[in-house]
Amino acid sequence: MIEAAWGSNPRFADGVRYEFIRSEGRQFPSHRCLVAASEFHIRNGEKKFRAYREDGNFFYLAAIWEPAMGEWPVSYRIITLDANPDVIRYQARHGAIIERRDAQKWLDFAVPEAELLVTPPADIFTVEEILTKPVQTSLAF
């Protein structure tokens, strides 16, 4: 396990740091890595949401890593795919979920990407709004 920066080196992309990479039409024959997560965040207009597993388990997000270049450290980008039915109401895509039981399959390149980079089924995520302002839950006199 290593610490890495999230996002590609902007020096090689017209000053833009890319944090995600689409899965469609791509193969990832090297530099695969995993990002452990218990939830992911969604921004929809002014509102923010968090999505987490119904069963409470953590999961991994499929990613690719890039070596350090000059002053830019080792970095990674999360691979995305079409959002599952729980998330699609809030955004069209999310990070590719790798189940804990499939982590080694992703890392050892023994299984083709197409078998692991699939949109999860419905009813595995709970999505709830992240309230950014204090909410009064009772009336006090």
Side-chain angles (χ1 to χ4, degrees), residues 29-49:
S30 67
H31 293 86
R32 291 182 186 181
C33 64
L34 293 168
V35 178
S38 58
E39 65 184 40
F40 58 88
H41 290 190
I42 301 164
R43 183 179 300 261
N44 186 322
E46 295 295 316
K47 294 184 176 184
K48 295 179 185 176
F49 300 87

Side-chain angles (χ1 to χ4, degrees), residues 30-95:
S30 67
H31 293 86
R32 291 182 186 181
C33 64
L34 293 168
V35 178
S38 58
E39 65 184 40
F40 58 88
H41 290 190
I42 301 164
R43 183 179 300 261
N44 186 322
E46 295 295 316
K47 294 184 176 184
K48 295 179 185 176
F49 300 87
R50 70 185 192 108
Y52 57 92
R53 293 284 304 253
E54 286 273 344
D55 59 13
N57 282 324
F58 75 90
F59 51 89
Y60 294 104
L61 296 169
I64 57 166
W65 66 272
E66 298 170 349
M69 291 185 273
E71 299 293 318
W72 195 256
V74 172
S75 60
Y76 68 93
R77 289 186 283 160
I78 294 173
I79 299 169
T80 66
L81 42 67
D82 290 334
N84 89 326
D86 306 326
V87 175
I88 196 78
R89 295 180 298 232
Y90 305 94
Q91 69 183 21
R93 303 182 68 75
H94 61 67

